[in-house]
Structure formats: C-alpha cells, structure tokens
Amino acid sequence: MFSSSSSSQSSTNEDDVPELADFVQKLFKNPEQEAVASEIEVLQSIYGENAVKLWRPPRTQQDRKSNYKQTDNTIRYEVELSLLSPHEDVTVRILVSLPVAYPVSSPPQLQLLSRYVGAFGADSGLFGCILRTFISVDGVEWTPDTVCVFDGLQSVVERCNVWYENRLSMEKAGELQREDAKEHSGRHTDIPPIEAENHISSQDAISIEPLMNSLPEGLELFMAEPITDRKSVFVGRACRISHPSEVPLVLSHLMADRRISRAAHPIINAWRCPVGSVLHQDNDDDGETAAGGRLAHLLQILFGLKDPTLVKFQGFIDGKWIDAKNGEKIAVTNPATNEELGTVPDMGLAETKEAIEAASRAFPAWSRTTTKHRHDILMKFYMLMKEHHDDLSRLITLENGKPLADGKGEMSYSASFIEWFAEEAVRIYGGVVSILTPWNFPSAMITRKLGAALAAGCTAVIKPPPETPFSALALAELATRAGVPDGVINVVPTFKNVIEVGKEMCENKVVRKVTFTGSTPVAKLLYGMAASTLKKVSIEAGGNAPFIVFDDANLHEAVDAAILCKFRSSGQTCVCANRIFVHSSVYAEFASRLAEKVSQFKIGNGLEEGTTHGPLIHARAVEKVTRHVEDAVAKGAQILIGGKSIPNTSFFEPTVLSDVPPDAQIHKEETFGPLASLTKFETEDEVVKLANSTDVGLAGYFFSRDVGRVWRVAERLEVGMVGANTGFISQATIPFGGVKESGIGREGGHGIEEYMYKKLIAFGGLSLQEK
C-alpha cells in the first residue's frame, strides 16, 4: 500500500541528469547565478544525482491548472525526497521555484507536487504549510543573500513525516475500533444515545473541568460548547495538545466510548498546534452535517486562553448568542500570520433592528436602577476584566497583531474606563445608544463609550469592526457574568451589510445617541444619517498630529516621546505623531538619535518574546504606507532607515524619512503606519502655521523648555488635546476629542455628559401655607 523508493525513482528520467548538468554549467557562467548553481550541485550530492531534475510544464490541461506557469525569469526544478526513518520507502516530490531576485532579496518557494504521500491523499493543509515554508512567522527563517533551499526541503520532510505518521496512527485506530465493534456486535443490541446529561448550560461552560483522566499523562479532555442541528446534538470536546502526534491518541480515546463509536457521524475534529515556528492544523469537516460547519466552537480552547469560553463565534442580542439569519460568516484572521482564527456571523438589517428593539425594551428598567446598583455592576464588570486581563490581552494580540505588551497596556486602559464611569454613575434618563468602533483598539474604544452609556442608564447596540470582533464579544460575555441584564448590551458583527447596518443604527428613531470612532469620511456619512432625526452625536475622527521639537528642547526626552507617540501599535493610533517638525539647529542630532532607536525595533508575531512591533492590520494599510514613502521620496525625502514592506505579509519596516517637504502626501493625510516623517523649520510662527495647515485637529505635541513658549504654542495649536513635553496623553480621566474635522464632543473624563439630556423643570403655582 506504500510507494517504495524504487517505484518512485522510476518516475525520474535519467536523461534529465545530463540536461540538468548542462543547465547548471550555464548558470555558473553568470556571476549572479553562481550561488544557485552551487546549491543545485550540493542538493545532488545530498539527495542523489537522480533526485534533482529540471521541471517541465505538465502535459495535460488539468495538470496545468494545479502547477505554476513557466516563465523565462524563474528557475524551477523538482526534488524527490524520502521521509525519515522508518518511512524511507515513502517519497514526496517538491517543486522549487527561484525568483530572479533569489537569493539577494527574495526567498525561494516550495510546492508539493505529489498527490499522494504513501497511500494517503495529500490535503490542502499539507499543501498550504509547504507553500508557507519561508514565511518566518510560520516556517523557515530566511535572510537576504542566503541560499536556503536545503533548509526548506528538510523542513518539508519533517512536516510530511509528521503528517504521514498521523494518518498511519488514525488508520490503525480505525482498524482497532472496527475489530472491537465486530467482537461486541453479538452482545450489544441496543446502544443508548448520548443523553441530555451531555448538554451543558452557558453557566456550566464558564468553569471548565476535565472530563476524564484516562488519557496519557499531560492530556486532558474538556467540555466545549455543544453544537446543535435539527436532528441531533454534537457534544463538544476540546483538548490542549503539544504535538500533532497526540491527535490519534485523543481520537482513539473518544472512539472507545461506544455511544460515540456507534453514531452516524462519530467524530468531526478540528485541531491546531504550533511546533516551534511551524503551525500544524487540520479541519476534518466532512460536510455531511449541519454541525460540521460550526467546528469553530471546538477551537475555543485553541486560542490559548485560560478561560476558552471567552471566545465567542456568534453575535449577542437580547442576552442570546445567535448566528446571522442568512448564515453568512466573517472570517477573522491573525494579521501576523494570516491564519484564520475563526468566524463570526455577518449580520444584517434584520438583526440590527432586533438589537435596537431589545435595547429599547431593556431601557426603562435599566434607566430606573439606582446609582448604587449601576456602580456595583460596573465595578463587578471591572473586576472581571482585571481577573481575565491576560486572556483579554491575548485576544487583542491575536486579532489585531499588536505585541502582547501593547495588548496588556490596552487592557489596563480599557478596564480603567469601566472603573472611572462606575464612580461617575448618575441616575439620569438617557436612551438607546449606537456604538460604532474601530479595529486599532478592539477593547478600549468600546469601554470608553460603553462605560459612560451604562453609567448614565443607557442601553447599547455595538457594531464592532469585522477585523477584531472577538474582544467585543468577550466583553459582552463578562458583562453578562457581572449581572448586566439581557438586552442592555447587544453586539452585531457585520461586514458585507455594513452600510445598511450603519444606516439603521443612525436613523432608527428608537436610538437616541450615536457615538463613533473612525475615519473622517465615514464620520461625515454617519453624522449626516444621524442628523435625519437630530440625534445626539459624539464623534472621534481622524487626526494628523504635529510633533514639534524646538531648539531648546531636551532631545533625549523628545526622541523617547517620538518613539512612543509615533510607533506605538506600529503607528496605528489616531493620536500618533504624523508630522514631525524639528528646528534646523537640532535637526541632524534628533534625526540620528531617532533612526538609531528605530533600528533596534524587532517586528514579528506579537505573541513571540522580544517582538516590539507587530504587523499592520491588512494589505490595504501596507499599500497606504508604501504610497506615502514613495511620494515623499519622489519629492526629495531621504530614507534614513526602513522604507519597505515585507513581501506576502502585513509587515512594514519601521521607517524614518528626513527632508520631507510640506507638500508631501504624508502632510495631507494620516498615514496610520510605522512611518516617521521629519521636516525642518526655522521660526515659531512658521512651524505653528505648518502644524495648523490641515482640516483636522485631534492631538498635537511639542517640546520646549521656555515656559512662555509652552503656553503660547499650546494655545495656538488648533487641536483638541496638547502634549507639552510629553508624547503620552491618553487616560480615562481626560476629555478626549478633537476640533475641526476631527470630531464632535468629548469622551473619557466628563464624557458621561454626552450620554445625558439636560432637563429644566420649572415649578409654579405652589404656595406655603402658614400653620
């Protein structure tokens, strides 16, 4: 049943060897390709002369669809490899593609040509992980000017070996199970179905306990959320594994339960396991059951949280976790690895109306609760956020990509809003609030609005960003645990239907207030919609923050502040320094110090130790930063460090540009990326005029030791928030907001007033009667 080395090698035409030798000699004649030629000869010496041959395009039309097209500039050859002992008789064929820039500035690419590994058909997971071999966060590390095909091929052999052994183990487990079934077929005529004892409530799911202890040491099986279709209940099981070889052990253990083994669909499994820098995963959905499409429920535990029930894959309306009526899903990915984390429902107009109606029904009772009652619930909510601080921080990093240290910082910031508004709670009448938030702070942008709304007695409908919905859903779960009644908080994820959902949230007459954080163009659209019913509105829109370094500044402090202010969250914050103006007398020293600091950054997966900066949120963000760099350079700017994106990823090198002219695109629009733009100035009047030459005015920063100048410049900057000799202004207690086209209203400190109406009650006709 297994392909032998002799039969596999027969597919290699020995006539190819002289042809390959001639090709290698031609490569040696080109100095730029000597490294490639030498590498091929090394591969022949390691794997055998006949194991390497030139690749030819497939002969059939069907095969052409499944292989790369031949080009004049790309070198392609295939290598035949044997698996590791004791499976040396099983071979795989790998296509090696070398771009014209290899090895100077581009890595090679590997593709699995074999349709079978031994007797088992290769699946998409195996194909995919081989294609990702040279993505550093998921495979072999590659550095420019380094030949590395051998390292990649060895990694492929190891992965194929693990994959193959898993298939052998599962096949053996199936044979043992069939033998057991035959042995007992005459003795058991009626196998009881899985009874209601296996159903669990959401409260039971909160405190997860191991189900059984008969697995090998170190493996524990947990109860996950059950999955129900029209005919049956699939009882979820989850298990933390440290290596893919443990999957067959878990499956065999489950199949030992006769109630499971006799079911029509006994096991549908999904698993994910990192081994070193390589992520192994599989989804065994056979598509034959309604539950098969919802295996993400079983992936809760694979997020690596201490409390996996914080991971929710449904929307939240009127106290119930529900799917979209149309069955549509939003795929959520980790921007650092491009791996799918899971899906949430892509809800539409119908679900939005239901959420608003639920919030409206809940409002009368919630608004009449006492100050003490709302304070106590908010404080319990705050304590739960602190208790689950590490889990919530990890969720932020997984879906947003920011380093875990930044994720933890955001969680502290996020929880501080709930604590602040717990103390600010006032018994006052509000209404239903629509909350629309961005992806750059998946948790804090919600609590800054939700905390004030709850404290003021309002109910809320939240539309989280499609890129980062899991943090919002986790907050809804914790709020429920804290005692927030059904209908007070509702979460409606959406992507395809965002226009109609946003319109309903702004125009529905039941909604009394709309609060939004995001770009200025979107803010204007929502503001116009809300104006149709004259709703109360608070908006925090885009910025283009100036950062000014005067000649008398403390340069050490100014550079540190610029690092914090510009590069926090890889430049993806609304208050980031977008334009850095430096006085000509200190320009060279400041630029040198800043570039030196930036050179010490380490970009990578936010969960990996040592990572200082994560990816941008998606490819569009990378394209915008690239566009700004290219525009500035074309107009005379110089790249001091960085300046490039990392191919096939969402990473952009932290970049410092000098001599950026005032007419560069970066001066006109927010970059939202790790790009520091330096521009010289001579006088105070000149730089203030440059700083104010935008349509937005959210935040501004400057450094000077002249007290008179500090007051003078702070008053002249046309922004809502000023950082004088500091690059950090965000905290729960400040009135956060901007002027001009950066927004309306304030959040945070005094923000509770945005969620209240002032009412005058004038009494007349009353008299005091003397006794």
Side-chain angles (χ1 to χ4, degrees):
M1 62 182 291
F2 306 121
S3 61
S4 65
S5 57
S6 59
S7 62
S8 297
Q9 288 172 357
S10 64
S11 65
T12 302
N13 188 340
E14 293 188 4
D15 293 338
D16 288 325
V17 176
E19 185 179 339
L20 179 64
D22 293 340
F23 179 72
V24 169
Q25 290 306 312
K26 289 180 181 178
L27 293 179
F28 270 121
K29 295 178 181 178
N30 184 345
E32 294 182 357
Q33 294 180 328
E34 285 184 7
V36 172
S38 297
E39 187 175 36
I40 293 175
E41 288 190 336
V42 170
L43 294 178
Q44 285 182 299
S45 67
I46 294 173
Y47 298 117
E49 196 175 55
N50 293 336
V52 184
K53 67 176 183 178
L54 288 177
W55 180 83
R56 292 189 178 89
R59 297 177 180 176
T60 66
Q61 184 64 28
Q62 182 62 32
D63 284 341
R64 286 192 184 97
K65 294 179 181 179
S66 60
N67 288 277
Y68 292 118
K69 293 180 180 179
Q70 185 73 27
T71 66
D72 294 332
N73 295 327
T74 301
I75 297 173
R76 290 189 172 91
Y77 56 88
E78 60 180 91
V79 182
E80 193 168 89
L81 309 169
S82 296
L83 298 191
L84 305 177
S85 176
H87 311 298
E88 302 97 326
D89 57 341
V90 178
T91 59
V92 291
R93 293 168 53 232
I94 303 297
L95 172 64
V96 179
S97 299
L98 306 179
V100 67
Y102 173 77
V104 176
S105 59
S106 295
Q109 189 171 48
L110 305 183
Q111 180 184 5
L112 182 63
L113 292 177
S114 301
R115 298 186 178 224
Y116 290 86
V117 179
F120 305 110
D123 57 23
S124 59
L126 186 60
F127 278 99
C129 78
I130 292 175
L131 282 173
R132 294 191 298 270
T133 295
F134 290 99
I135 297 178
S136 63
V137 294
D138 196 30
V140 174
E141 185 83 27
W142 175 78
T143 54
D145 252 340
T146 304
V147 292
C148 53
V149 171
F150 172 73
D151 293 335
L153 292 176
Q154 287 300 106
S155 176
V156 166
V157 169
E158 292 170 6
R159 288 189 238 184
C160 288
N161 210 70
V162 171
W163 182 92
Y164 180 69
E165 288 183 341
N166 287 341
R167 268 54 188 178
L168 285 180
S169 300
M170 285 187 279
E171 181 184 71
K172 184 63 176 177
E175 290 176 359
L176 294 173
Q177 180 59 39
R178 285 190 290 273
E179 291 174 6
D180 180 69
K182 289 180 181 179
E183 180 182 347
H184 293 83
S185 60
R187 291 183 247 165
H188 300 279
T189 57
D190 184 21
I191 304 296
I194 297 178
E195 301 293 344
E197 65 183 14
N198 284 324
H199 291 262
I200 58 173
S201 67
S202 59
Q203 185 63 36
D204 293 331
I206 293 172
S207 56
I208 300 178
E209 297 293 340
L211 293 175
M212 14 191 129
N213 296 314
S214 56
L215 282 165
E217 184 178 356
L219 289 178
E220 290 181 331
L221 205 59
F222 297 85
M223 184 80 79
E225 292 185 3
I227 305 172
T228 306
D229 64 17
R230 289 176 297 178
K231 298 181 180 179
S232 58
V233 174
F234 286 72
V235 180
R237 302 284 194 267
C239 181
R240 289 189 179 93
I241 61 174
S242 59
H243 195 276
S245 61
E246 295 171 341
V247 172
L249 301 176
V250 177
L251 296 178
S252 299
H253 179 76
L254 290 172
M255 289 296 287
D257 187 330
R258 303 191 62 77
R259 297 174 299 174
I260 294 177
S261 64
R262 287 301 183 91
H265 303 281
I267 297 176
I268 303 174
N269 75 88
W271 59 272
R272 184 180 299 161
C273 175
V275 179
S277 60
V278 179
L279 181 69
H280 301 264
Q281 60 183 346
D282 190 21
N283 190 328
D284 192 29
D285 176 15
D286 58 9
E288 296 180 15
T289 67
R294 295 175 59 195
L295 279 171
H297 285 275
L298 303 184
L299 293 175
Q300 286 175 312
I301 206 166
L302 302 180
F303 276 68
L305 308 189
K306 297 173 184 175
D307 182 357
T309 60
L310 288 176
V311 182
K312 299 297 181 183
F313 301 93
Q314 295 174 290
F316 188 65
I317 297 178
D318 202 14
K320 302 178 183 65
W321 297 100
I322 63 172
D323 289 320
K325 296 181 184 298
N326 59 10
E328 293 289 328
K329 298 284 186 182
I330 303 170
V332 184
T333 59
N334 181 338
T337 64
N338 291 323
E339 296 289 344
E340 183 177 311
L341 294 170
T343 62
V344 296
D346 193 351
M347 292 182 163
L349 182 61
E351 293 86 357
T352 306
K353 287 183 175 180
E354 285 183 13
I356 292 173
E357 290 168 1
S360 179
R361 289 192 301 270
F363 171 68
W366 178 251
S367 64
R368 287 195 294 269
T369 56
T370 64
T371 301
K372 179 68 165 57
H373 180 77
R374 291 201 295 273
H375 167 273
D376 290 350
I377 286 181
L378 283 170
M379 283 305 298
K380 187 175 181 181
F381 188 8
Y382 166 72
M383 294 307 297
L384 284 169
M385 290 180 70
K386 297 295 287 183
E387 178 186 341
H388 296 279
H389 180 271
D390 289 348
D391 278 353
L392 297 172
S393 303
R394 186 179 178 88
L395 265 185
I396 290 172
T397 295
L398 284 168
E399 62 183 353
N400 173 274
K402 64 180 63 176
L404 188 56
D406 286 359
K408 291 181 176 180
E410 180 182 341
M411 269 320 303
S412 297
Y413 183 45
S414 177
S416 71
F417 286 110
I418 300 300
E419 181 186 30
W420 170 263
F421 287 114
E423 302 299 338
E424 285 279 290
V426 177
R427 187 170 183 265
I428 198 73
Y429 296 103
V432 176
V433 176
S434 290
I435 297 176
L436 302 97
T437 58
W439 47 260
N440 58 333
F441 287 90
S443 182
M445 293 301 97
I446 291 175
T447 57
R448 191 163 72 187
K449 303 170 187 295
L450 181 63
L454 295 179
C458 298
T459 56
V461 177
I462 303 167
K463 187 208 79 64
E467 297 90 349
T468 58
F470 290 125
S471 293
L473 296 169
L475 289 175
E477 169 66 17
L478 289 182
T480 300
R481 297 183 194 180
V484 175
D486 292 351
V488 173
I489 298 175
N490 305 272
V491 184
V492 182
T494 189
F495 178 60
K496 294 179 182 177
N497 307 305
V498 65
I499 294 178
E500 62 181 19
V501 168
K503 189 172 187 291
E504 183 67 19
M505 292 179 72
C506 291
E507 295 184 352
N508 191 300
K509 291 185 177 181
V510 172
V511 175
R512 307 290 290 277
K513 172 176 173 77
V514 176
T515 174
F516 168 77
T517 296
S519 70
T520 297
V522 175
K524 291 179 179 180
L525 288 173
L526 297 177
Y527 190 28
M529 294 175 186
S532 66
T533 50
L534 295 180
K535 297 186 192 314
K536 200 173 176 77
V537 174
S538 59
I539 289 174
E540 189 247 296
N544 193 341
F547 187 103
I548 305 170
V549 182
F550 286 102
D551 54 353
D552 62 340
N554 182 319
L555 288 190
H556 174 74
E557 293 179 358
V559 169
D560 286 346
I563 291 292
L564 172 66
C565 182
K566 171 67 258 183
F567 291 100
R568 183 165 63 114
S569 295
S570 294
Q572 298 176 112
T573 82
C574 54
V575 293
C576 270
N578 203 62
R579 301 165 294 150
I580 301 177
F581 300 102
V582 186
H583 192 273
S584 60
S585 64
V586 294
Y587 184 88
E589 184 178 356
F590 180 89
S592 175
R593 289 189 183 190
L594 183 67
E596 181 182 2
K597 289 264 189 180
V598 172
S599 70
Q600 297 169 16
F601 292 170
K602 178 185 177 183
I603 60 175
N605 189 331
L607 295 178
E608 293 179 355
E609 187 176 354
T611 295
T612 61
H613 292 77
L616 299 185
I617 191 66
H618 43 48
R620 297 192 306 279
V622 175
E623 291 167 2
K624 185 176 185 181
V625 180
T626 301
R627 189 171 69 249
H628 279 192
V629 171
E630 292 175 348
D631 172 76
V633 170
K635 292 174 180 175
Q638 302 294 317
I639 298 175
L640 298 185
I641 192 167
K644 302 188 298 297
S645 62
I646 299 178
N648 304 315
T649 73
S650 294
F651 290 94
F652 196 98
E653 296 176 351
T655 299
V656 178
L657 299 181
S658 66
D659 302 321
V660 178
D663 63 341
Q665 196 65 30
I666 191 173
H667 278 250
K668 301 175 183 177
E669 63 181 12
E670 197 173 21
T671 303
F672 236 60
L675 169 57
S677 161
L678 306 185
T679 302
K680 291 179 186 177
F681 74 90
E682 298 294 340
T683 68
E684 180 181 313
D685 287 341
E686 174 197 2
V687 75
V688 170
K689 184 177 180 180
L690 286 171
N692 291 337
S693 63
T694 66
D695 294 329
V696 294
L698 187 58
Y701 311 85
F702 68 92
F703 275 73
S704 172
R705 285 182 278 198
D706 183 324
V707 175
R709 173 182 283 159
V710 166
W711 281 105
R712 197 166 54 243
V713 173
E715 290 178 351
R716 293 179 67 187
L717 288 179
E718 296 173 357
V719 296
M721 299 172 288
V722 176
N725 293 317
T726 180
F728 183 78
I729 58 175
S730 298
Q731 50 188 300
T733 57
I734 69 165
F736 193 101
V739 298
K740 298 197 282 190
E741 294 185 14
S742 280
I744 300 170
R746 292 294 182 269
E747 296 181 331
H750 308 289
I752 196 169
E753 296 174 2
E754 299 286 340
Y755 296 82
M756 301 187 300
Y757 288 113
K758 293 181 180 179
K759 179 184 288 186
L760 168 67
I761 301 177
F763 288 93
L766 300 178
S767 61
L768 295 175
Q769 296 183 356
E770 296 182 2
K771 292 182 179 180

